[in-house]
Amino acid sequence: MPDPRHIAALQQAERERFIATHPQSLALAQAAQAHYLFGVPLHWMRDWPSPAALFVSEAQGASLTCVDGLRHTDFCLGDTGAMFGHSPAPLAQAIAQQAAQGLTCMLPAANAVAVGEGLARVFGLPMWQLALTASDANRFVLRWARAITRRPQLLVFDGCYHGAVDDTLVDLDPATGRTLPRASVLGQVHNHAAFTRVVPFNDLPALEAALARGDVACLLAEPALTNFGLVPPAPGFWDAARDLCRRHGALFVCDETHTISTALGGYARAHALEPDFLVVGKAVAGGLPCAVYGFTAEMADRMARAKDAAPEGHSGIGTTLSGNALTLAALQAALTHLHTDASYTPMLALAERLETGLRERIARAAKPWTVTRLGARLELQFMPHTPRDAQDVRDHAQAGLETLTHLFMLNRGVLLTPFHSMMLVSPATTAQDVAHLLQVFDALLTALAA
Ligand SMILES: Cc1ncc(COP(=O)(O)O)c(C=O)c1O
């Protein structure tokens, strides 16, 4: 266990270093207080460990330049929105071209058929609908799942995050195994714990017990937990979990928003999970606001029957700008030029190199830490083994060390994802970028040993 006073002293030195080297960001952060809550357009932007937000002047490929003119190698990549790199050229061109030809009409654009074909080709499901964010897409799928099964309950894993989706913002009480409203959620008045059950990830008996009551509409899950550290599925877990869902008549909704890093077409395709619904957001259109949800022909049939049987009026599914022409143009370019083997092959190879480099250094320094990787996505974990579930991650949390790591790296031109020590490798990331991160990691280990 590192000495907390040493960590605190190192953190203080890093805060001072940031302040000395980022005068322009500090000035903008001060001025932005006048018009933005917490001084930023989205309050999460203050959840980075720096004393003030890093204001960005440009992002290109795998790097971004802040307003102080410093170049940062970006392993956060907008927490996956820019997984294919910032502003890939074919995407920027498609957006510029469409921007001059109409942005939104609430009618299908001429390329809608080609986009549907592209989605089916990349993700392997035949039927699709669009949304603007993964949060929206998840909300819409949950509504469909409840409508077509006529079952009220949802099932999620402890430590899950599926976006701003009220139904899923619940926690597991470790003492009783009961579901609780998530204490951090603001303005909550509905008791979502009454309609959502939470079970630990990788726990088949708990999953079976939650399904056995026969009232679960769907299991909504990421193939691996990515928002509570990176927690991979145990061998055989998904085969058994998928069977349990089928046996108990619950649909399986796979949220691939982050696990799209696994391989071309995502984890579900690579591992034949056969979801009933699949959600992808963030990077699906290269970072332009877009999310998609796909489903089987059987689901489409049941959805059509549910809609036909309902009275005319609001369905509660969809938003005005969903499937707009600009989004479709970006999505088409992304499906053609970004969701390709040519993107994934170098990403996966460099991510493996980064994993090996981190592991070698951890072993040399005899640190009780590990690295977990899911394709192009890696997590440095300050615990000795691969976590099994969210509670395992909670039990080993080292907030001080995590904050120090982020700020130390940021001050040396390497961005990790805030909230956890996640690194994402894009097709634009280079071997030099990886070497740079590893050099900074060496410097961190030296500072910790001093
Ligand atoms: C797995 C997963 N699903 C959905 C979302 C929601 O995405 P958005 O915030 O773009 O709506 C997130 C966000 O982090 C996520 O990690």
Side-chain angles (χ1 to χ4, degrees), residues 28-274:
L28 286 179
Q30 181 61 35
Q33 296 288 340
H35 298 296
Y36 290 114
L37 182 67
F38 306 117
V40 278
L42 165 65
H43 73 86
W44 308 350
M45 291 175 180
R46 278 306 296 123
D47 290 349
W48 289 72
S50 44
L54 186 76
F55 281 68
V56 176
S57 54
E58 195 197 347
Q60 255 311 315
S63 70
L64 60 82
T65 307
C66 71
V67 289
D68 287 287
L70 305 172
R71 182 182 178 275
H72 299 263
T73 307
D74 191 359
F75 288 90
C76 168
L77 296 168
D79 194 12
T80 311
M83 184 185 81
F84 293 112
H86 293 289
S87 286
L91 187 76
Q93 279 157 18
I95 291 172
Q97 194 177 334
Q98 184 61 45
Q101 294 171 2
L103 302 177
T104 189
C105 310
M106 222 175 73
L107 286 168
N111 64 350
V113 173
V115 170
E117 287 167 358
L119 288 167
R121 176 174 46 78
V122 170
F123 297 106
L125 281 163
M127 303 296 286
W128 294 88
Q129 287 282 278
L130 266 73
L132 285 177
T133 67
S135 301
D136 279 347
N138 279 322
R139 260 198 301 275
F140 301 154
V141 170
L142 294 183
R143 206 174 266 279
W144 281 118
R146 281 171 159 152
I148 66 181
T149 59
R150 295 174 181 274
R151 290 176 170 194
Q153 292 285 335
L154 306 175
L155 190 53
V156 295
F157 289 120
D158 183 30
C160 74
Y161 185 69
H162 297 287
V165 183
D166 285 359
D167 287 278
T168 63
L169 296 172
V170 289
D171 280 329
L172 185 67
D173 180 349
T176 63
R178 291 180 44 204
T179 303
L180 300 172
R182 195 166 284 179
S184 57
V185 176
L186 298 172
Q188 181 126 274
V189 292
H190 299 289
N191 180 18
H192 293 290
F195 290 100
T196 304
R197 280 180 206 137
V198 188
V199 292
F201 192 57
N202 279 327
D203 186 337
L204 289 168
L207 184 68
E208 177 151 33
L211 288 166
R213 291 190 235 167
D215 55 358
V216 173
C218 68
L219 168 67
L220 168 62
E222 292 186 274
L225 294 186
T226 69
N227 284 293
F228 212 90
L230 185 53
V231 184
F237 174 72
W238 274 116
D239 285 344
R242 189 69 192 93
D243 278 355
L244 284 173
C245 288
R246 284 207 181 96
R247 192 154 1 118
H248 294 285
L251 305 177
F252 169 42
V253 180
C254 183
D255 182 349
E256 286 268 30
T257 298
H258 279 175
T259 50
I260 192 183
S261 66
T262 308
L264 175 59
Y267 188 104
R269 185 148 210 202
H271 295 266
L273 297 195
E274 296 182 5

